Amino acid sequence: MATFRLQGSRVLAVDMTGDAVKAKNGSMVAYDGQMAFKKMTGGGEGIRGMVTRRVTGEQMTVMEVKGHGTCWFADRATEINLVQLRGDKLHVEASNLLCTDAGLRTGTSFTGLRGATQGNGLFTTTVEGTGQAAIVSDGPAVVLRVSRQYPLMVDPGAYIAHQGDVHQSFQSGVTFRTFMGEGGGEAFQIRFEGDGLVYVQPSERTTIAGDV
């Protein structure tokens, strides 16, 4: 299995000894040794994945990198965060997924109104299995714990990913004060309940459900 390590906070180094990884197309910035690069269909899920992603609108262009040596990846100077999966599933916005072990399975998952509020469609990308994944964030990501006792509310524009036994729902915070322009501007939130982790970034992307 390839070894993931960070060099600084914005460059991912992956050491490979005949292993393979799947990475965002065009994210390679340097490599040494012998490497082969191949563009993959349907986010690395083959023809079926390509059809699914076209139907769902969850776009992800992926390349396979395989060889002996070290390959370095980066994406527009964004911050990189390593996630360790041990047979569980990571839900992540496709635009925030940088690199995964080749053995991890990717797919799509229905998010309902949460995806609609973000302007990213009704589906999001899933990564499942045992291995490492690298996700990116606009600024250093904050990892927040969700417990069964304390649910977590997250602004849709700051959400990156979540993992664990976590359930999400859409919650409106619209009040009369919001319509009068006296609210805090956070008209909609994602409510997370259960036991797991939620990754958020300190910068909000533009969403459909921004200020009302």
Side-chain angles (χ1 to χ4, degrees), residues 22-92:
K22 293 184 289 188
K24 180 180 289 189
N25 199 40
S27 62
M28 185 276 294
V29 294
Y31 72 90
D32 62 21
Q34 298 294 321
M35 296 288 169
F37 300 85
K38 180 176 69 174
K39 185 175 180 179
M40 304 185 76
T41 302
E45 300 147 38
I47 299 298
R48 182 177 180 180
M50 180 177 65
V51 173
T52 300
R53 289 185 178 275
R54 282 185 177 177
V55 171
T56 62
E58 178 72 358
Q59 300 299 320
M60 184 171 66
T61 306
V62 174
M63 61 180 178
E64 180 188 68
V65 184
K66 185 177 183 179
H68 293 77
T70 301
C71 194
W72 288 269
F73 301 94
D75 184 26
R76 296 171 294 124
T78 51
E79 302 283 331
I80 301 173
N81 313 271
L82 297 182
V83 179
Q84 180 66 51
L85 296 174
R86 296 179 176 85
D88 53 332
K89 182 184 293 186
L90 174 73
H91 293 75
V92 57

Side-chain angles (χ1 to χ4, degrees), residues 98-178:
L98 176 66
C99 187
T100 71
D101 281 315
L104 291 174
R105 301 180 299 279
T106 56
T108 55
S109 176
F110 180 70
T111 61
L113 288 174
R114 179 184 69 72
T117 65
Q118 289 182 256
N120 291 338
L122 299 178
F123 294 81
T124 193
T125 292
T126 59
V127 182
E128 188 174 6
T130 298
Q132 283 192 296
I135 60 178
V136 297
S137 57
D138 187 3
V142 179
V143 185
L144 302 175
R145 165 67 65 177
V146 180
S147 68
R148 301 191 186 281
Q149 185 178 3
Y150 297 105
L152 178 69
M153 257 54 91
V154 175
D155 185 279
Y159 168 84
I160 302 172
H162 72 271
Q163 69 181 125
D165 184 17
V166 176
H167 307 283
Q168 58 178 313
S169 59
F170 178 75
Q171 180 169 303
S172 171
V174 177
T175 65
F176 178 74
R177 289 175 62 84
T178 303

Side-chain angles (χ1 to χ4, degrees), residues 1-6 12-15 20-22 82-83 99-102 132-134:
M1 186 176 293
T3 301
F4 287 37
R5 53 189 174 87
L6 292 179
L12 171 69
V14 180
D15 301 316
V21 297
K22 293 184 289 188
L82 297 182
V83 179
C99 187
T100 71
D101 281 315
Q132 283 192 296

